[in-house]
Amino acid sequence: MIRPVSDPIGLEVRWDRLAAATDEAASTMLRTAFSTIIRESNDYTVVLMDREGRTMAESRAGIPAFAALMSSLTALVLERFPAEEWQDGDCVITNDPWIATGHLPDIAMITPVFHRGRLVAYAGTVAHSPDIGGTPSLSATELISEGILIPPLRLFRAGRVDEGVKHLLLANVRLADQVWGDLEAQAAAHAVCRRRAQEFLADFDEPDFEEFAAQVHSVTDAAMRAAVRELPDGVYRSTVDADGVEGRPTHIACAVTVRGDEVGIDYTGSSPQVPFSTNSTLNYTRAYSMYPLKILLDSSTRTNWGSYLAVRVTAPPGTIVNPTFPAPVVARHLTGHLLSCAVYQALAPVLPDRVIADSGGAPALRVRFAGVDDTGRPFSLMLFANAGMGASKETDGLSTTAFPTNSGSGSIEALEAASPLRFLRKELRAGSGGRGRRRGGLGQDIEVRNPTSRPVQMVLLGDREQHPALGLAGGEPGATAQTVLDSGERVPLKSVSQLPPGSSVVISFAGGGGFGKPEEREPEFLVADEIAGYTVRGPERGPVTVRPARADGPEEVGR
């Protein structure tokens, strides 16, 4: 039901203030976090929710898709801990992949906000922990091998740490100081949210957020439904293939159904779940289907719970996009990030001016280095770096830019300060963007050296080794990703290996797909690309012959 907004300017002022509160809380988390994953790579989210757990405002940095599932996450937490059981100063955490954000390293935190003695809201965060125990390997066949599973538990009770929960958690991780430091950083962000939310209600003389939440949810719901109504009714299909694990490719089948002001995204026909860590839980599948659709159709309106009421995402249980417990899921992004490609390929026939070609960073390539330096101090470092985005009809793809995630790369200086590793170079990868009337964004080459006298473990979680980012409308695929040791040996992108003492490795990130026929690119753009060093002549960029995604025309459905 659309609620009338009698004072849209006043509503915007209040909404902007609440969003600023989440941004301030996010800054607090970044400044107090111990690990580079949060403070450098922005792998987190911060939200404020109403008393029902529905998001009202979200931080503008961090991972937007995480914010998209905070409402469903909180609803499940409230089933375990009903509203009447909460006290001021309570804090519940969980990393259950079927409740939270899809894999164990992400720890979600929920805290209540009280005003004048009444529970009026919740603050929520998710942050990627630097360590969650377990054995980092894609060969895990069940969840328990991937780390400690935390069901919804109270970490704080009325402002006091539950020492039993704390000790149990820290006894199961290797980097206890960093893990606890990051959890305290999340708690600090919650304190900012709580204080600013209370000030908001006091300044506007409101008893709670009920009226405000109803209005902002109505605004976002109406905006999304208006955007959906502009699409012709029909069923639009695509398929996307991924490298898979151990030579077993996986398949994503996507059907986008538009009916009036609602959209259904269904993944029937996708591969069965696999005994490897690339399964994507349904909540993660929903997040990485809804968020790309939201920015495609309604990029100008802020997001909250109302933004996704018009979208329904379904997938058969037991598939790679809806696995059953206890499937391994630590590398769920290798499937989940591809869903943006599937949705955009499906809608390309009806939104050719707005979709982009596949991005080389969908899915993202992550590299974890771990070991012991020459002083005997253990270290663990997750390298977050970005590939090239896909091109659109009007513009070249952005180089080394994350999509559909929003994680940052962080500074080389900070990464070197946190480990003994040395970064010898970090540069654009010439020729990696797919050719087209508009060129795909470039990936990058990063060379990392192990200067210690001990081997360093290197865990690669990537794809796009055999299946590059596809182009659209005649655009060519981008270059595939690869990792090569200084010995010339190629390291598979899903592997656990050793970087020997004194050795280096070059990690090459994939390029984005091109848009439009290459022969239609304007001569001045070709010259500019060559002058800038974006193109290369001579050696092939890597294998690019793949079965293309299928984008069928609409099948008529009734309104």
Side-chain angles (χ1 to χ4, degrees), residues 136-138 366-370 382 456-461 493-497:
S137 172
L138 279 166
R366 301 288 185 240
V367 187
R368 178 180 180 269
F369 296 98
M382 182 70 80
V456 170
Q457 183 188 66
M458 183 170 63
V459 181
L460 291 166
L461 299 175
L493 293 187
K494 297 182 181 70
S495 64
V496 179
S497 60

Side-chain angles (χ1 to χ4, degrees), residues 27-40:
S27 295
T28 299
M29 188 194 305
L30 292 175
R31 292 175 183 230
T32 56
F34 278 43
S35 76
T36 58
I37 295 178
I38 296 178
R39 70 174 189 263
E40 295 292 330

Side-chain angles (χ1 to χ4, degrees), residues 502-533:
S503 295
S504 63
V505 60
V506 176
I507 306 157
S508 298
F509 290 75
F515 197 109
K517 297 177 181 179
E519 58 268 25
E520 295 178 355
R521 188 164 178 80
E522 296 86 338
E524 59 269 28
F525 287 175
L526 294 172
V527 172
D529 283 346
E530 189 149 351
I531 292 174

